[in-house]
Amino acid sequence: MAEAPTVALGAPGIPARWTSSAKSGVGTAFSPTGRVWFTISHGILNEVYYPRVDSACTRDMGLLVTGPGGYFSEEKRDAGHRIEPFEEGVPAYRLVNTAADGAYRIEKRILADPARPVLLQEIEFTPLKGVAGDYHVYTLLAPHLVNAGMGNTAWVAKHKGETMLFASGRGTCLALASSVPWAACSAGYVGVSDGWQQLQHTGRLDPASLRAEDGNVALTGEIGFSAGKTKAVLAMGFGATPEEAADNALASLKRGFPAAAKSYVEQWRKWQTSLLPLDRRAASGINPYRVSTAVLATHRSSAKPGATVASLSIPWGFSKGDDDLGGYHLVWPRDLVETAGGFMAAGDLDEALRILTYLRTIQEADGHWPQNVWLDGTAYWPGIQMDECAFPLLLADALRRAGHLPRAKLVSFLLMIERAASYIVKNGPVTGEDRWEEDAGYSPFALAVEIAALLAAADILDACGKAEPANYLRETADSWNDQVERWTYVTGTDLSSQVGVAGYYVRIAPPDTADAASPKDGYVPIKNRPPGDTDRPAEAIVSPDALALVRFGLRAADDPRIVDTVKVIDARLRCDLPQGPLWYRYTDDGYGEHEDGAPFDGTGQGRPWPLLAGERAHYELAAGNNAMAESLLRTLESSAEPGGLLPEQSWDGPDMPQRELRLGGPTGSAMPLVWAHSEHIKLLRSLRDGAVFDMPPQGAKRYIEDRTTSPLRTWRFNNKLRTIPSGKLLRIELPTRAVIRWSIDGWATSAESNTAENAFGVHLADLPVATAYADTNVIFTFHWLDADCWENVDFSVGIEG
């Protein structure tokens, strides 16, 4: 393959940027041989991913049109756009882009070849003013083959006698071929010598600009349309070498678009037919259920079965460059378990089991899961969220209860389950970060997931004949469940007076500190706020997260504390939009556009989340308010863009056409959000069943029906209790063997208790202080047996009356 020697001017190009995160379509072949994922917005291709769903290879690819008198038009900016799927549940798309000035219409059909890693576009150009000969149509492609804009190389060359457009970076290559031979072509540096710049300034492509190396590059080729040829197929092939990419592209062209489309549609149709019929027709005419199931399946990995990324988007990508390599095309264990729940609700238990199997492969040795990872399990962000460490246990138990994880299979997951349970009991209940990945402390959501997960793990251990460790997990869960209100429920605050309630659950209470009488008396540093405007009293911050106590079976929906919290949530966080009510994540959230609509840049103003309408609908269903749950389903579905994709956030301000923001429409955060589509599917299933689909049964039985309480409280170095209620045992849990010397009379007398190691490597002893008088202190210290030394520090726990 001969490469053109001429190098374009302007290296390395302007700083690279990604593109809009508000997608109107996402797709991939339902086939492991395709290995190409694509996204669409503004009538053109955006990021294309290859060879893995976490590796973006392009920024975008659209058409430019020139004509007489210096006419210049870019379809993504200068045309109106319409998109529709080939058929329900099939993520292949028909696009119609009509020039705003009425000069032309471009019709496209886009899909990925199921047989090989090639993206196909069938394009038809129709002049609406003048004739075809008046216009020249060019494709403009911005390769980002290194999952970033800089560091790419592009060139024009021939392969097997055909002129093609090539790009490469870090061992990944693409080749763009056309069924109608290319006319003029160029390669250049973005913002300086790319085809857009050439056509805008000179009306033609520079024939000498045929190579751009190691920069932010772009490829441009004129599609050879004529009066007799107004339709062309473009094939973007990928491979490890330019030759492989070119051969793949040519093979797809030879096979033809109709054959690829037939196979693509049949494969998706077969899978959709296998799912439960939860279909409902929306007012817009689309089938939201089939959109949601397709979104879930589109975000799966073919290289790592069971892995699913959070979104094929980069929030506010048009404002971000190479410093944001991950975007949302990473695996979040939390989102992944939510996705598994969506697959289960739709009836695909096999996919849910594949997800659990993948989770087993990326679990850390100490039992926790990283905050988020690339497909190979490499951690991206360093945080630890206790909900993410607990969710996989709930998934394992849900599959077990569904009969899809019988004991013969269950034992293969036993080590994963024991490690995760061990991590939770050793490091909980405080979470390093809440589910919004921001603050440490006692979170009602994290607590609910942790407690429910310990109960689920206990049932699994019982099923495997491990009664003693199962009992310990239940004891821990009971103790934590008893303290949820002590940690996170407040009364007599200004906010409770304003709303007219006795009290409410806070969003999060900071970890115990010596200068606060209770965790909920402390301050919470709110992230994404301007400097100097971060800290808030814990009692001033509320969140719909408290409804997790109902969702996971720990509190009844009609519990007065829950009912009052719902009133506070609605008073502070409800946002009435054209589609219905949505909710903000929490008080003073800063993750969203600025007030003027400018993109989030580390600070901003949080906007309402559609998925929270789904969570609220599940609460209403648990409370017996089926009509309200149905109404919120419609609100959730109406929050989608016209093609049915659900955004992460919805705009709550006045229309700002210049920023593409309209009241109730998607913001620039992320769309689609797989988590939101999973919640949608689960809500459809819950409404069909008349009960919350994913509510674990253990907590409801134990705490709501049987009203189980705990006889003990636990002290650990990473959770040093200051007080316990009178009548409770004091359990001391330590990392290694010790003799505990303790006293309840200020060391006038003392006793000693030896620790015993349990199945989770916890060394514990229960101090029999249940009969001690109120307002006395239990004082204790440790003699470490392995080191043969004393701690030389006295610790104290007060006994409350």
PDB file of all heavy atoms in Angstrom, residues 363-369 383-386 389-390 416-430 432 450 454 480 716 718 760:
ATOM      1  N   GLN A 363     -13.442  -8.407  40.814  1.00  0.00           N
ATOM      2  CA  GLN A 363     -13.417  -8.160  42.256  1.00  0.00           C
ATOM      3  C   GLN A 363     -11.979  -8.100  42.741  1.00  0.00           C
ATOM      4  O   GLN A 363     -11.128  -8.892  42.324  1.00  0.00           O
ATOM      5  CB  GLN A 363     -14.177  -9.263  42.995  1.00  0.00           C
ATOM      6  CG  GLN A 363     -14.299  -9.036  44.493  1.00  0.00           C
ATOM      7  CD  GLN A 363     -14.951 -10.217  45.194  1.00  0.00           C
ATOM      8  OE1 GLN A 363     -14.811 -11.372  44.764  1.00  0.00           O
ATOM      9  NE2 GLN A 363     -15.673  -9.947  46.270  1.00  0.00           N
ATOM     10  N   GLU A 364     -11.686  -7.151  43.627  1.00  0.00           N
ATOM     11  CA  GLU A 364     -10.357  -7.057  44.207  1.00  0.00           C
ATOM     12  C   GLU A 364     -10.160  -8.167  45.237  1.00  0.00           C
ATOM     13  O   GLU A 364     -11.122  -8.722  45.778  1.00  0.00           O
ATOM     14  CB  GLU A 364     -10.161  -5.682  44.857  1.00  0.00           C
ATOM     15  CG  GLU A 364     -10.262  -4.513  43.888  1.00  0.00           C
ATOM     16  CD  GLU A 364      -9.074  -4.414  42.957  1.00  0.00           C
ATOM     17  OE1 GLU A 364      -8.034  -5.056  43.244  1.00  0.00           O
ATOM     18  OE2 GLU A 364      -9.171  -3.704  41.935  1.00  0.00           O
ATOM     19  N   ALA A 365      -8.912  -8.462  45.543  1.00  0.00           N
ATOM     20  CA  ALA A 365      -8.600  -9.576  46.438  1.00  0.00           C
ATOM     21  C   ALA A 365      -9.193  -9.389  47.828  1.00  0.00           C
ATOM     22  O   ALA A 365      -9.526 -10.364  48.506  1.00  0.00           O
ATOM     23  CB  ALA A 365      -7.082  -9.756  46.534  1.00  0.00           C
ATOM     24  N   ASP A 366      -9.329  -8.131  48.266  1.00  0.00           N
ATOM     25  CA  ASP A 366      -9.871  -7.906  49.611  1.00  0.00           C
ATOM     26  C   ASP A 366     -11.386  -7.957  49.642  1.00  0.00           C
ATOM     27  O   ASP A 366     -12.000  -7.804  50.702  1.00  0.00           O
ATOM     28  CB  ASP A 366      -9.371  -6.578  50.184  1.00  0.00           C
ATOM     29  CG  ASP A 366      -9.870  -5.373  49.398  1.00  0.00           C
ATOM     30  OD1 ASP A 366     -10.603  -5.542  48.396  1.00  0.00           O
ATOM     31  OD2 ASP A 366      -9.528  -4.233  49.789  1.00  0.00           O
ATOM     32  N   GLY A 367     -12.017  -8.154  48.476  1.00  0.00           N
ATOM     33  CA  GLY A 367     -13.462  -8.334  48.432  1.00  0.00           C
ATOM     34  C   GLY A 367     -14.256  -7.179  47.883  1.00  0.00           C
ATOM     35  O   GLY A 367     -15.445  -7.329  47.595  1.00  0.00           O
ATOM     36  N   HIS A 368     -13.638  -6.001  47.717  1.00  0.00           N
ATOM     37  CA  HIS A 368     -14.413  -4.866  47.219  1.00  0.00           C
ATOM     38  C   HIS A 368     -14.343  -4.783  45.695  1.00  0.00           C
ATOM     39  O   HIS A 368     -13.542  -5.463  45.056  1.00  0.00           O
ATOM     40  CB  HIS A 368     -13.928  -3.564  47.853  1.00  0.00           C
ATOM     41  CG  HIS A 368     -12.764  -2.923  47.141  1.00  0.00           C
ATOM     42  ND1 HIS A 368     -11.454  -3.315  47.325  1.00  0.00           N
ATOM     43  CD2 HIS A 368     -12.714  -1.904  46.238  1.00  0.00           C
ATOM     44  CE1 HIS A 368     -10.659  -2.569  46.587  1.00  0.00           C
ATOM     45  NE2 HIS A 368     -11.385  -1.707  45.906  1.00  0.00           N
ATOM     46  N   TRP A 369     -15.199  -3.975  45.117  1.00  0.00           N
ATOM     47  CA  TRP A 369     -15.158  -3.688  43.689  1.00  0.00           C
ATOM     48  C   TRP A 369     -14.707  -2.257  43.488  1.00  0.00           C
ATOM     49  O   TRP A 369     -15.101  -1.362  44.257  1.00  0.00           O
ATOM     50  CB  TRP A 369     -16.530  -3.898  43.046  1.00  0.00           C
ATOM     51  CG  TRP A 369     -16.781  -5.322  42.682  1.00  0.00           C
ATOM     52  CD1 TRP A 369     -16.481  -5.947  41.510  1.00  0.00           C
ATOM     53  CD2 TRP A 369     -17.382  -6.329  43.516  1.00  0.00           C
ATOM     54  NE1 TRP A 369     -16.850  -7.282  41.558  1.00  0.00           N
ATOM     55  CE2 TRP A 369     -17.403  -7.539  42.775  1.00  0.00           C
ATOM     56  CE3 TRP A 369     -17.906  -6.340  44.807  1.00  0.00           C
ATOM     57  CZ2 TRP A 369     -17.930  -8.723  43.286  1.00  0.00           C
ATOM     58  CZ3 TRP A 369     -18.414  -7.517  45.321  1.00  0.00           C
ATOM     59  CH2 TRP A 369     -18.433  -8.694  44.563  1.00  0.00           C
ATOM     60  N   GLY A 383     -12.101   5.831  44.126  1.00  0.00           N
ATOM     61  CA  GLY A 383     -13.008   5.812  45.262  1.00  0.00           C
ATOM     62  C   GLY A 383     -13.542   4.420  45.577  1.00  0.00           C
ATOM     63  O   GLY A 383     -13.483   3.499  44.759  1.00  0.00           O
ATOM     64  N   ILE A 384     -14.064   4.293  46.791  1.00  0.00           N
ATOM     65  CA  ILE A 384     -14.721   3.053  47.219  1.00  0.00           C
ATOM     66  C   ILE A 384     -16.114   3.396  47.711  1.00  0.00           C
ATOM     67  O   ILE A 384     -16.286   4.252  48.582  1.00  0.00           O
ATOM     68  CB  ILE A 384     -13.927   2.341  48.324  1.00  0.00           C
ATOM     69  CG1 ILE A 384     -12.588   1.836  47.765  1.00  0.00           C
ATOM     70  CG2 ILE A 384     -14.726   1.178  48.901  1.00  0.00           C
ATOM     71  CD1 ILE A 384     -11.729   1.114  48.778  1.00  0.00           C
ATOM     72  N   GLN A 385     -17.106   2.738  47.131  1.00  0.00           N
ATOM     73  CA  GLN A 385     -18.501   2.928  47.497  1.00  0.00           C
ATOM     74  C   GLN A 385     -19.025   1.614  48.068  1.00  0.00           C
ATOM     75  O   GLN A 385     -19.000   0.588  47.392  1.00  0.00           O
ATOM     76  CB  GLN A 385     -19.322   3.326  46.269  1.00  0.00           C
ATOM     77  CG  GLN A 385     -18.881   4.631  45.635  1.00  0.00           C
ATOM     78  CD  GLN A 385     -19.554   4.854  44.292  1.00  0.00           C
ATOM     79  OE1 GLN A 385     -18.933   5.305  43.348  1.00  0.00           O
ATOM     80  NE2 GLN A 385     -20.836   4.527  44.206  1.00  0.00           N
ATOM     81  N   MET A 386     -19.542   1.671  49.281  1.00  0.00           N
ATOM     82  CA  MET A 386     -20.002   0.448  49.905  1.00  0.00           C
ATOM     83  C   MET A 386     -21.221  -0.130  49.202  1.00  0.00           C
ATOM     84  O   MET A 386     -21.436  -1.351  49.228  1.00  0.00           O
ATOM     85  CB  MET A 386     -20.299   0.694  51.381  1.00  0.00           C
ATOM     86  CG  MET A 386     -19.058   1.028  52.213  1.00  0.00           C
ATOM     87  SD  MET A 386     -17.718  -0.182  52.090  1.00  0.00           S
ATOM     88  CE  MET A 386     -18.504  -1.606  52.836  1.00  0.00           C
ATOM     89  N   CYS A 389     -19.917  -2.365  46.646  1.00  0.00           N
ATOM     90  CA  CYS A 389     -19.363  -3.587  47.211  1.00  0.00           C
ATOM     91  C   CYS A 389     -20.461  -4.561  47.616  1.00  0.00           C
ATOM     92  O   CYS A 389     -20.212  -5.761  47.763  1.00  0.00           O
ATOM     93  CB  CYS A 389     -18.504  -3.251  48.432  1.00  0.00           C
ATOM     94  SG  CYS A 389     -17.117  -2.144  48.060  1.00  0.00           S
ATOM     95  N   ALA A 390     -21.685  -4.037  47.801  1.00  0.00           N
ATOM     96  CA  ALA A 390     -22.789  -4.869  48.270  1.00  0.00           C
ATOM     97  C   ALA A 390     -23.728  -5.314  47.160  1.00  0.00           C
ATOM     98  O   ALA A 390     -24.317  -6.404  47.235  1.00  0.00           O
ATOM     99  CB  ALA A 390     -23.583  -4.100  49.338  1.00  0.00           C
ATOM    100  N   MET A 416     -16.296 -15.360  45.973  1.00  0.00           N
ATOM    101  CA  MET A 416     -16.643 -13.972  45.690  1.00  0.00           C
ATOM    102  C   MET A 416     -17.584 -13.424  46.755  1.00  0.00           C
ATOM    103  O   MET A 416     -17.406 -12.312  47.264  1.00  0.00           O
ATOM    104  CB  MET A 416     -17.308 -13.861  44.312  1.00  0.00           C
ATOM    105  CG  MET A 416     -17.700 -12.443  43.920  1.00  0.00           C
ATOM    106  SD  MET A 416     -18.908 -12.371  42.573  1.00  0.00           S
ATOM    107  CE  MET A 416     -20.444 -12.522  43.514  1.00  0.00           C
ATOM    108  N   ILE A 417     -18.588 -14.206  47.111  1.00  0.00           N
ATOM    109  CA  ILE A 417     -19.599 -13.765  48.079  1.00  0.00           C
ATOM    110  C   ILE A 417     -18.986 -13.613  49.458  1.00  0.00           C
ATOM    111  O   ILE A 417     -19.225 -12.617  50.162  1.00  0.00           O
ATOM    112  CB  ILE A 417     -20.770 -14.765  48.079  1.00  0.00           C
ATOM    113  CG1 ILE A 417     -21.532 -14.656  46.746  1.00  0.00           C
ATOM    114  CG2 ILE A 417     -21.702 -14.531  49.262  1.00  0.00           C
ATOM    115  CD1 ILE A 417     -22.434 -15.842  46.455  1.00  0.00           C
ATOM    116  N   GLU A 418     -18.165 -14.569  49.867  1.00  0.00           N
ATOM    117  CA  GLU A 418     -17.538 -14.487  51.189  1.00  0.00           C
ATOM    118  C   GLU A 418     -16.584 -13.301  51.269  1.00  0.00           C
ATOM    119  O   GLU A 418     -16.540 -12.598  52.286  1.00  0.00           O
ATOM    120  CB  GLU A 418     -16.798 -15.792  51.489  1.00  0.00           C
ATOM    121  CG  GLU A 418     -17.734 -16.971  51.736  1.00  0.00           C
ATOM    122  CD  GLU A 418     -16.996 -18.278  51.910  1.00  0.00           C
ATOM    123  OE1 GLU A 418     -15.923 -18.457  51.263  1.00  0.00           O
ATOM    124  OE2 GLU A 418     -17.476 -19.127  52.669  1.00  0.00           O
ATOM    125  N   ARG A 419     -15.822 -13.062  50.213  1.00  0.00           N
ATOM    126  CA  ARG A 419     -14.899 -11.920  50.215  1.00  0.00           C
ATOM    127  C   ARG A 419     -15.662 -10.599  50.307  1.00  0.00           C
ATOM    128  O   ARG A 419     -15.269  -9.687  51.052  1.00  0.00           O
ATOM    129  CB  ARG A 419     -14.041 -11.936  48.956  1.00  0.00           C
ATOM    130  CG  ARG A 419     -12.909 -12.944  48.967  1.00  0.00           C
ATOM    131  CD  ARG A 419     -12.161 -12.921  47.637  1.00  0.00           C
ATOM    132  NE  ARG A 419     -10.948 -13.720  47.672  1.00  0.00           N
ATOM    133  CZ  ARG A 419     -10.171 -13.941  46.619  1.00  0.00           C
ATOM    134  NH1 ARG A 419     -10.502 -13.409  45.431  1.00  0.00           N
ATOM    135  NH2 ARG A 419      -9.088 -14.670  46.723  1.00  0.00           N
ATOM    136  N   ALA A 420     -16.739 -10.485  49.526  1.00  0.00           N
ATOM    137  CA  ALA A 420     -17.512  -9.251  49.544  1.00  0.00           C
ATOM    138  C   ALA A 420     -18.158  -9.027  50.906  1.00  0.00           C
ATOM    139  O   ALA A 420     -18.122  -7.914  51.451  1.00  0.00           O
ATOM    140  CB  ALA A 420     -18.579  -9.290  48.454  1.00  0.00           C
ATOM    141  N   ALA A 421     -18.744 -10.075  51.469  1.00  0.00           N
ATOM    142  CA  ALA A 421     -19.363  -9.946  52.788  1.00  0.00           C
ATOM    143  C   ALA A 421     -18.321  -9.577  53.836  1.00  0.00           C
ATOM    144  O   ALA A 421     -18.570  -8.739  54.720  1.00  0.00           O
ATOM    145  CB  ALA A 421     -20.070 -11.241  53.161  1.00  0.00           C
ATOM    146  N   SER A 422     -17.144 -10.172  53.733  1.00  0.00           N
ATOM    147  CA  SER A 422     -16.070  -9.860  54.668  1.00  0.00           C
ATOM    148  C   SER A 422     -15.673  -8.393  54.565  1.00  0.00           C
ATOM    149  O   SER A 422     -15.478  -7.711  55.574  1.00  0.00           O
ATOM    150  CB  SER A 422     -14.863 -10.758  54.386  1.00  0.00           C
ATOM    151  OG  SER A 422     -13.775 -10.419  55.221  1.00  0.00           O
ATOM    152  N   TYR A 423     -15.552  -7.904  53.346  1.00  0.00           N
ATOM    153  CA  TYR A 423     -15.168  -6.494  53.166  1.00  0.00           C
ATOM    154  C   TYR A 423     -16.216  -5.575  53.782  1.00  0.00           C
ATOM    155  O   TYR A 423     -15.883  -4.572  54.425  1.00  0.00           O
ATOM    156  CB  TYR A 423     -14.979  -6.174  51.686  1.00  0.00           C
ATOM    157  CG  TYR A 423     -14.400  -4.796  51.471  1.00  0.00           C
ATOM    158  CD1 TYR A 423     -13.024  -4.612  51.476  1.00  0.00           C
ATOM    159  CD2 TYR A 423     -15.217  -3.695  51.315  1.00  0.00           C
ATOM    160  CE1 TYR A 423     -12.475  -3.346  51.314  1.00  0.00           C
ATOM    161  CE2 TYR A 423     -14.681  -2.421  51.160  1.00  0.00           C
ATOM    162  CZ  TYR A 423     -13.303  -2.250  51.158  1.00  0.00           C
ATOM    163  OH  TYR A 423     -12.773  -0.996  51.021  1.00  0.00           O
ATOM    164  N   ILE A 424     -17.486  -5.904  53.569  1.00  0.00           N
ATOM    165  CA  ILE A 424     -18.563  -5.050  54.082  1.00  0.00           C
ATOM    166  C   ILE A 424     -18.542  -5.010  55.606  1.00  0.00           C
ATOM    167  O   ILE A 424     -18.607  -3.936  56.213  1.00  0.00           O
ATOM    168  CB  ILE A 424     -19.927  -5.539  53.563  1.00  0.00           C
ATOM    169  CG1 ILE A 424     -20.017  -5.358  52.043  1.00  0.00           C
ATOM    170  CG2 ILE A 424     -21.064  -4.766  54.241  1.00  0.00           C
ATOM    171  CD1 ILE A 424     -21.201  -6.075  51.414  1.00  0.00           C
ATOM    172  N   VAL A 425     -18.460  -6.168  56.251  1.00  0.00           N
ATOM    173  CA  VAL A 425     -18.517  -6.168  57.716  1.00  0.00           C
ATOM    174  C   VAL A 425     -17.266  -5.551  58.329  1.00  0.00           C
ATOM    175  O   VAL A 425     -17.325  -4.999  59.432  1.00  0.00           O
ATOM    176  CB  VAL A 425     -18.747  -7.590  58.276  1.00  0.00           C
ATOM    177  CG1 VAL A 425     -20.086  -8.129  57.822  1.00  0.00           C
ATOM    178  CG2 VAL A 425     -17.616  -8.544  57.897  1.00  0.00           C
ATOM    179  N   LYS A 426     -16.154  -5.599  57.628  1.00  0.00           N
ATOM    180  CA  LYS A 426     -14.918  -5.009  58.168  1.00  0.00           C
ATOM    181  C   LYS A 426     -14.835  -3.508  57.914  1.00  0.00           C
ATOM    182  O   LYS A 426     -14.166  -2.785  58.673  1.00  0.00           O
ATOM    183  CB  LYS A 426     -13.694  -5.690  57.547  1.00  0.00           C
ATOM    184  CG  LYS A 426     -13.460  -7.116  57.991  1.00  0.00           C
ATOM    185  CD  LYS A 426     -12.272  -7.712  57.263  1.00  0.00           C
ATOM    186  CE  LYS A 426     -11.993  -9.141  57.708  1.00  0.00           C
ATOM    187  NZ  LYS A 426     -10.877  -9.754  56.933  1.00  0.00           N
ATOM    188  N   ASN A 427     -15.481  -3.030  56.863  1.00  0.00           N
ATOM    189  CA  ASN A 427     -15.295  -1.631  56.467  1.00  0.00           C
ATOM    190  C   ASN A 427     -16.566  -0.787  56.530  1.00  0.00           C
ATOM    191  O   ASN A 427     -16.493   0.437  56.503  1.00  0.00           O
ATOM    192  CB  ASN A 427     -14.726  -1.578  55.044  1.00  0.00           C
ATOM    193  CG  ASN A 427     -13.342  -2.158  54.962  1.00  0.00           C
ATOM    194  OD1 ASN A 427     -12.362  -1.493  55.274  1.00  0.00           O
ATOM    195  ND2 ASN A 427     -13.248  -3.421  54.562  1.00  0.00           N
ATOM    196  N   GLY A 428     -17.734  -1.439  56.568  1.00  0.00           N
ATOM    197  CA  GLY A 428     -18.965  -0.694  56.708  1.00  0.00           C
ATOM    198  C   GLY A 428     -19.207  -0.349  58.161  1.00  0.00           C
ATOM    199  O   GLY A 428     -18.420  -0.708  59.036  1.00  0.00           O
ATOM    200  N   PRO A 429     -20.284   0.338  58.470  1.00  0.00           N
ATOM    201  CA  PRO A 429     -21.324   0.790  57.553  1.00  0.00           C
ATOM    202  C   PRO A 429     -21.013   2.106  56.847  1.00  0.00           C
ATOM    203  O   PRO A 429     -21.687   2.479  55.914  1.00  0.00           O
ATOM    204  CB  PRO A 429     -22.531   0.954  58.479  1.00  0.00           C
ATOM    205  CG  PRO A 429     -21.920   1.376  59.781  1.00  0.00           C
ATOM    206  CD  PRO A 429     -20.635   0.598  59.889  1.00  0.00           C
ATOM    207  N   VAL A 430     -19.969   2.815  57.322  1.00  0.00           N
ATOM    208  CA  VAL A 430     -19.596   4.073  56.676  1.00  0.00           C
ATOM    209  C   VAL A 430     -19.090   3.789  55.273  1.00  0.00           C
ATOM    210  O   VAL A 430     -18.316   2.857  55.057  1.00  0.00           O
ATOM    211  CB  VAL A 430     -18.524   4.816  57.493  1.00  0.00           C
ATOM    212  CG1 VAL A 430     -17.935   5.973  56.707  1.00  0.00           C
ATOM    213  CG2 VAL A 430     -19.116   5.315  58.800  1.00  0.00           C
ATOM    214  N   GLY A 432     -17.008   5.130  51.860  1.00  0.00           N
ATOM    215  CA  GLY A 432     -16.002   6.109  51.448  1.00  0.00           C
ATOM    216  C   GLY A 432     -16.581   7.175  50.547  1.00  0.00           C
ATOM    217  O   GLY A 432     -16.181   8.344  50.606  1.00  0.00           O
ATOM    218  N   GLU A 450     -26.154  -2.211  51.955  1.00  0.00           N
ATOM    219  CA  GLU A 450     -25.258  -3.039  52.766  1.00  0.00           C
ATOM    220  C   GLU A 450     -26.045  -4.035  53.619  1.00  0.00           C
ATOM    221  O   GLU A 450     -25.716  -5.238  53.661  1.00  0.00           O
ATOM    222  CB  GLU A 450     -24.416  -2.154  53.679  1.00  0.00           C
ATOM    223  CG  GLU A 450     -23.350  -1.336  52.985  1.00  0.00           C
ATOM    224  CD  GLU A 450     -22.659  -0.397  53.960  1.00  0.00           C
ATOM    225  OE1 GLU A 450     -23.182   0.703  54.220  1.00  0.00           O
ATOM    226  OE2 GLU A 450     -21.595  -0.785  54.476  1.00  0.00           O
ATOM    227  N   LEU A 454     -26.032  -8.115  53.275  1.00  0.00           N
ATOM    228  CA  LEU A 454     -25.586  -9.040  54.315  1.00  0.00           C
ATOM    229  C   LEU A 454     -26.632 -10.111  54.578  1.00  0.00           C
ATOM    230  O   LEU A 454     -26.308 -11.287  54.760  1.00  0.00           O
ATOM    231  CB  LEU A 454     -25.266  -8.266  55.587  1.00  0.00           C
ATOM    232  CG  LEU A 454     -24.037  -7.351  55.547  1.00  0.00           C
ATOM    233  CD1 LEU A 454     -23.842  -6.664  56.890  1.00  0.00           C
ATOM    234  CD2 LEU A 454     -22.778  -8.120  55.158  1.00  0.00           C
ATOM    235  N   TRP A 480     -26.713  -2.918  62.530  1.00  0.00           N
ATOM    236  CA  TRP A 480     -26.700  -1.723  61.693  1.00  0.00           C
ATOM    237  C   TRP A 480     -28.115  -1.218  61.433  1.00  0.00           C
ATOM    238  O   TRP A 480     -28.360  -0.017  61.446  1.00  0.00           O
ATOM    239  CB  TRP A 480     -25.994  -2.033  60.374  1.00  0.00           C
ATOM    240  CG  TRP A 480     -24.512  -2.254  60.517  1.00  0.00           C
ATOM    241  CD1 TRP A 480     -23.770  -2.186  61.681  1.00  0.00           C
ATOM    242  CD2 TRP A 480     -23.583  -2.588  59.482  1.00  0.00           C
ATOM    243  NE1 TRP A 480     -22.449  -2.455  61.421  1.00  0.00           N
ATOM    244  CE2 TRP A 480     -22.298  -2.708  60.086  1.00  0.00           C
ATOM    245  CE3 TRP A 480     -23.704  -2.809  58.129  1.00  0.00           C
ATOM    246  CZ2 TRP A 480     -21.164  -3.031  59.348  1.00  0.00           C
ATOM    247  CZ3 TRP A 480     -22.568  -3.135  57.383  1.00  0.00           C
ATOM    248  CH2 TRP A 480     -21.315  -3.236  57.997  1.00  0.00           C
ATOM    249  N   ARG A 716     -15.409  -0.920  66.448  1.00  0.00           N
ATOM    250  CA  ARG A 716     -14.217  -1.261  65.654  1.00  0.00           C
ATOM    251  C   ARG A 716     -13.348  -0.028  65.543  1.00  0.00           C
ATOM    252  O   ARG A 716     -13.818   1.100  65.726  1.00  0.00           O
ATOM    253  CB  ARG A 716     -14.617  -1.724  64.232  1.00  0.00           C
ATOM    254  CG  ARG A 716     -15.088  -3.137  64.168  1.00  0.00           C
ATOM    255  CD  ARG A 716     -15.215  -3.610  62.720  1.00  0.00           C
ATOM    256  NE  ARG A 716     -16.539  -3.349  62.174  1.00  0.00           N
ATOM    257  CZ  ARG A 716     -16.792  -2.442  61.239  1.00  0.00           C
ATOM    258  NH1 ARG A 716     -15.833  -1.685  60.759  1.00  0.00           N
ATOM    259  NH2 ARG A 716     -18.011  -2.291  60.785  1.00  0.00           N
ATOM    260  N   ASN A 718     -12.340   1.355  62.922  1.00  0.00           N
ATOM    261  CA  ASN A 718     -12.828   2.241  61.867  1.00  0.00           C
ATOM    262  C   ASN A 718     -14.300   2.606  62.059  1.00  0.00           C
ATOM    263  O   ASN A 718     -14.931   3.157  61.164  1.00  0.00           O
ATOM    264  CB  ASN A 718     -12.617   1.612  60.482  1.00  0.00           C
ATOM    265  CG  ASN A 718     -13.402   0.323  60.300  1.00  0.00           C
ATOM    266  OD1 ASN A 718     -13.868  -0.276  61.264  1.00  0.00           O
ATOM    267  ND2 ASN A 718     -13.525  -0.119  59.054  1.00  0.00           N
ATOM    268  N   PHE A 760     -14.697 -14.797  58.795  1.00  0.00           N
ATOM    269  CA  PHE A 760     -14.334 -13.667  57.944  1.00  0.00           C
ATOM    270  C   PHE A 760     -13.023 -13.014  58.380  1.00  0.00           C
ATOM    271  O   PHE A 760     -12.691 -11.922  57.933  1.00  0.00           O
ATOM    272  CB  PHE A 760     -15.461 -12.639  57.958  1.00  0.00           C
ATOM    273  CG  PHE A 760     -16.761 -13.178  57.425  1.00  0.00           C
ATOM    274  CD1 PHE A 760     -17.780 -13.542  58.284  1.00  0.00           C
ATOM    275  CD2 PHE A 760     -16.942 -13.352  56.063  1.00  0.00           C
ATOM    276  CE1 PHE A 760     -18.967 -14.057  57.802  1.00  0.00           C
ATOM    277  CE2 PHE A 760     -18.122 -13.865  55.573  1.00  0.00           C
ATOM    278  CZ  PHE A 760     -19.141 -14.223  56.439  1.00  0.00           C
TER     279      PHE A 760
END
